[in-house]
Amino acid sequence: MKSLHKRAPRLAAPAIALGLAVATIAAPTTALNAAPSSSQDNAILMSVGGSRVVNLSAKMSDVVIADPNIVDVHVRSQNQLYLIAKKAGETTVFATAPNGKVLFSGTVRVGNNLTSIDDMLGLAMPGANIAVNKMNGMVLLTGTIQAPEDAAEAERLTQAFVGKEVTVVSRLRMATPLQVMLQVKISEVSKDLGHKIGTNFNSVDTGRSFGVVGGGNRAFATYNRDEGFWDFTQPADGSYSIGGVARLLGMDVAGVLDLAESSGLSTTLAQPNLTALSGETASFLAGGEYPYTVSNGTQGNSIEFKQYGVQLAFTPTVLADGRISLRVRPTVSSLDFSINANVPALKSRTAETTVELGSGQAFMIAGLLNNETGNAINKVPVLGELPILGSLFKSRSFQRSETELVIVVTPYLVKPMNASDVHMPTDGFRTANEGQGLLLQQGNDGVSGARGHMPTRAPGSPVPTPGPQAAAALPPVATKPGKPGTVAPGFSF
């Protein structure tokens, strides 16, 4: 605690005047009108080496400073105080009149003096390496940052430092670009159900050879006039049929009753895995391409190809705290020959969405249902409307198809790994020699898990000596018990 108890005539000492002049030249000085303690609510903000002038409403007799190491006070008259900031910190200053009235009471906060953008960014982002370049009224930020959100933060801090009238351009890049691996599971379940009951008739007048009556959904039989019998054919769709021949009104009548009931269930599962840098787009296709002809007018025709199958495109953007903004677009398509047997159509289902989630969290795209129902009736007019016998003169076909598509997407933040850390199950595998195969009936000699062939150093080249840290980082080589120098198996056969 520092206290000054001096009269006004003694305050104008030559030493104090000289110190005040030096402080005034070294740092800018601003004036502050004093107010009673009841109205002095805001703290005085200063930088190291700066000064303030406090004008008092009456003559003072005492000045008290809580921490003189942070702020120093110079007095030239009884109506003014000169505050000099010495180091960063916070303290309080009081000035009182001879009758004990408080003329000034305030809190002074002293901060580091940031004179350049580089100092400000270095204090706010100690792990970043940012260079500031000023040109033609514009501030250009270049260098590397640690996290993607640091680029926007550096641009915001710089804009606040230089003001809104100055343009700030950021060309900051990640020191190590983040990579995102996307694991996608696409499951499709298709269920078909069909019923078919069909009647077919055909007749021929074998005596006079001029009358033929028939109808139905298919050509089930033909009459062989040379041999004098009927040739029946089976349904192409594999359904069951019951047929026979009878003579009616001098004509041979052949009839067939087709009965079919089918149900099928099929599942399809695709698990593509993709890896892309933050902000880049990766795509995947598991399927094929089919050609189709495109007319070019007088220049003839050309062949183009259309992709079909399971397709996936995604664009990840790594946000703060490892959060991932993911835009994903899966497409499942298949060929459809129902419209044209020679030129297929393309049946596709596509979903596109943007979500935000953490590494290892998953989201599901479901509800992609497709339900198709068909009911067709072919009958003889009037006869097909009879209550019971009408079933002999009509055919009915019912078909229902249900398909459901479910997509599960899981992103992961990944980092590259060293090639020496990659091990394959087939590394070091050797087939059995003639003796092991003939005598011991072995298909292999059981050696696996060894490292594969690696690049070797050229003859005569210097061999670097690894330091103690590098030697400690090398993984130990496992050996088989009882066989020194041999590599331990990674798995057994």
Side-chain angles (χ1 to χ4, degrees):
M1 184 75 68
K2 181 179 180 181
S3 177
L4 299 179
H5 300 276
K6 296 182 179 179
R7 295 294 181 184
R10 300 179 181 178
L11 296 176
I16 297 178
L18 180 60
L20 179 60
V22 174
T24 305
I25 297 175
T29 304
T30 59
L32 182 67
N33 293 325
S37 59
S38 59
S39 60
Q40 189 69 22
D41 298 328
N42 297 327
I44 302 176
L45 303 179
M46 301 178 63
S47 299
V48 175
S51 63
R52 289 284 182 94
V53 177
V54 180
N55 297 319
L56 303 177
S57 58
K59 294 183 179 180
M60 63 179 172
S61 61
D62 297 325
V63 177
V64 180
I65 306 174
D67 190 349
N69 295 324
I70 298 177
V71 175
D72 197 2
V73 175
H74 293 271
V75 179
R76 294 195 60 183
S77 66
Q78 290 182 313
N79 295 328
Q80 285 185 336
L81 285 177
Y82 289 85
L83 305 179
I84 308 299
K86 299 174 62 176
K87 72 173 185 178
E90 180 178 337
T91 185
T92 53
V93 178
F94 300 94
T96 59
N99 58 0
K101 180 182 179 181
V102 178
L103 301 177
F104 174 77
S105 173
T107 301
V108 182
R109 294 191 181 96
V110 180
N112 292 319
N113 188 14
L114 301 178
T115 59
S116 64
I117 305 176
D118 302 76
D119 297 338
M120 182 268 297
L121 294 178
L123 182 64
M125 301 178 178
N129 184 15
I130 302 176
V132 181
N133 302 289
K134 300 179 180 179
M135 54 185 71
N136 298 330
M138 179 183 67
V139 177
L140 178 63
L141 304 180
T142 59
T144 58
I145 52 178
Q146 290 184 334
E149 65 274 10
D150 290 346
E153 185 68 14
E155 185 176 355
R156 187 185 65 83
L157 293 174
T158 305
Q159 192 70 64
F161 191 91
V162 300
K164 296 182 179 180
E165 59 276 359
V166 180
T167 303
V168 179
V169 179
S170 175
R171 300 297 297 171
L172 299 174
R173 293 291 182 267
M174 286 282 298
T176 303
L178 297 177
Q179 301 181 77
V180 178
M181 185 192 74
L182 193 69
Q183 183 185 70
V184 181
K185 296 181 180 180
I186 302 176
S187 178
E188 183 180 11
V189 180
S190 178
K191 183 179 180 181
D192 296 328
L193 178 63
H195 297 276
K196 186 177 68 173
I197 299 177
T199 58
N200 302 273
F201 292 98
N202 195 359
S203 64
V204 60
D205 188 354
T206 58
R208 299 180 181 181
S209 302
F210 70 88
V212 176
V213 178
N217 294 326
R218 67 182 182 92
F220 67 95
T222 58
Y223 183 72
N224 191 339
R225 295 184 178 276
D226 296 334
E227 300 294 336
F229 62 87
W230 292 84
D231 293 329
F232 287 87
T233 59
Q234 297 294 331
D237 55 0
S239 60
Y240 292 92
S241 63
I242 301 175
V245 179
R247 189 167 182 83
L248 181 64
L249 301 178
M251 294 187 301
D252 290 343
V253 179
V256 168
L257 177 63
D258 293 336
L259 301 173
E261 181 177 352
S262 62
S263 61
L265 180 65
S266 63
T267 60
T268 303
L269 178 64
Q271 289 184 277
N273 293 333
L274 297 176
T275 302
L277 293 176
S278 176
E280 300 294 333
T281 301
S283 60
F284 169 85
L285 171 64
E289 298 181 349
Y290 71 92
Y292 61 96
T293 305
V294 177
S295 177
N296 297 326
T298 59
Q299 298 180 358
N301 299 331
S302 61
I303 303 297
E304 295 187 3
F305 292 87
K306 188 69 174 180
Q307 296 179 347
Y308 69 95
V310 179
Q311 304 178 60
L312 175 67
F314 81 102
T315 304
T317 302
V318 181
L319 304 177
D321 301 330
R323 304 288 293 178
I324 302 173
S325 176
L326 186 65
R327 182 179 182 182
V328 60
R329 186 176 186 270
T331 301
V332 178
S333 57
S334 60
L335 300 180
D336 184 13
F337 291 91
S338 60
I339 301 177
N340 192 324
N342 298 324
V343 181
L346 196 63
K347 297 174 61 177
S348 62
R349 278 167 289 175
T350 302
E352 184 173 359
T353 183
T354 302
V355 296
E356 180 182 338
L357 64 170
S359 177
Q361 296 179 344
F363 74 96
M364 177 182 294
I365 303 176
L368 302 177
L369 302 177
N370 185 22
N371 192 343
E372 298 180 359
T373 302
N375 192 0
I377 298 178
N378 185 15
K379 61 183 178 179
V380 178
V382 180
L383 296 179
E385 299 293 340
L386 297 178
I388 298 177
L389 298 179
S391 300
L392 299 177
F393 299 96
K394 66 180 179 181
S395 300
R396 180 179 179 271
S397 177
F398 173 79
Q399 185 72 29
R400 184 176 64 187
S401 299
E402 296 178 355
T403 304
E404 182 178 4
L405 184 65
V406 178
I407 303 172
V408 181
V409 181
T410 308
Y412 295 93
L413 288 176
V414 296
K415 294 182 180 180
M417 60 186 305
N418 297 325
S420 59
D421 298 333
V422 179
H423 298 277
M424 299 295 292
T426 55
D427 291 344
F429 171 77
R430 292 185 300 178
T431 58
N433 53 30
E434 288 79 0
Q436 292 174 334
L438 295 176
L439 300 179
L440 302 179
Q441 301 296 324
Q442 292 182 356
N444 57 84
D445 64 355
V447 177
S448 179
R451 292 184 180 272
H453 295 285
M454 301 293 291
T456 57
R457 191 175 300 276
S461 60
V463 179
T465 302
Q469 296 180 354
L474 295 177
V477 179
T479 57
K480 285 186 176 182
K483 295 183 179 181
T486 59
V487 180
F491 64 93
S492 60
F493 289 90

